Amino acid sequence: MRTLTADRRMIKIAMEAPYLEREEEHALAKAWRNDHDQDARNKIAMSHMRLVISMAAKFRNFGLPMGDLVQEGHIGLLEAAARFEPSREVRFSTYATWWIRASMQDYVLRNWSIVRGGTSSAQKALFFNLRRLRARLAQGDRQLTSQAMHEEIAVALGVSIADVQTMDARLSGSDTSLQAPVGGPDSDGGERLDFLASDAPLPDEQVSDMIDGERARIWLHDAMGALTEREMRIIRARRLSEEGATLEELGLDLGISKERVRQIETRALEKLRAALATKAPALTSVVH
């Protein structure tokens, strides 16, 4: 109740603040810019508080307190007043609108959800315009599917369809704690976190893959023993190095043509396949 009374008092004061004529606004802005007159800056800001309240009303649908939105808008208004350049011959309200809106949008993005969304300009545009565009498309004569609606919104805002689908899902639902009990607060069914599926392999699969990988490395090491020193050098440089040397680079290094390097590599791979065929037939397809 106390908060509501304070909000009403603030709105009442703002609505009673007198409008400024262009000449008076210009004079106050010059007084602040040239003489750092705090009273001049505060008078400009107070005369435009009704603009803050009007813009705060447009963000009420996000479920945040009106008083908090007005306070954030007031911060943006003071920032605009501090940065305003009277020499540009632009009305202060036009300049301040951007700062007020930006301050409120940042507040909404910080507090609307415990999960932070994207902060890029495209993601902000999607967050604040998705509902409006979806409502407009739903009121049209066409009966659009959700997919078609997402496609049109993506084109209108210059974002991907996947981004639209993700944001739509976020705006349609509410945050749920992973520690929330399943089946109610008095249930012994565990927490939501206990029922999340993991994409990681099962423990027995991890052990099996580790054993198979170690065995494959031993077999490959033994098979490499069948190669000559030059063949081994080429295979290591071409197949077992992260960089992957080119035929031309190895040719210059060994003093032979790149075609000769290719022939030696082909012969070495055939030796490896033959050596691995008896121990690990499945590995022969990898050596190519």
Side-chain angles (χ1 to χ4, degrees), residues 114-159:
I114 60 175
V115 180
R116 289 299 303 274
T119 55
S120 66
S121 58
Q123 286 291 310
K124 286 183 179 180
L126 179 57
F127 181 87
F128 289 106
N129 292 291
L130 176 59
R131 288 173 172 170
R132 177 178 57 82
L133 291 175
R134 186 174 58 186
R136 182 188 300 174
L137 292 172
Q139 292 174 356
D141 297 332
R142 296 176 298 166
Q143 296 295 322
L144 297 176
T145 63
S146 295
Q147 179 66 21
M149 192 174 294
H150 290 161
E151 290 175 356
E152 294 206 17
I153 293 174
V155 172
L157 298 179
V159 297

Side-chain angles (χ1 to χ4, degrees), residues 19-29 84 86 88-92 94:
Y19 287 100
L20 295 179
E21 297 295 337
R22 178 185 287 270
E23 293 76 12
E24 185 180 5
E25 176 182 289
H26 186 78
L28 290 171
F84 184 57
R88 294 183 178 179
E89 299 297 332
V90 175
R91 290 306 299 264
F92 177 74
T94 302

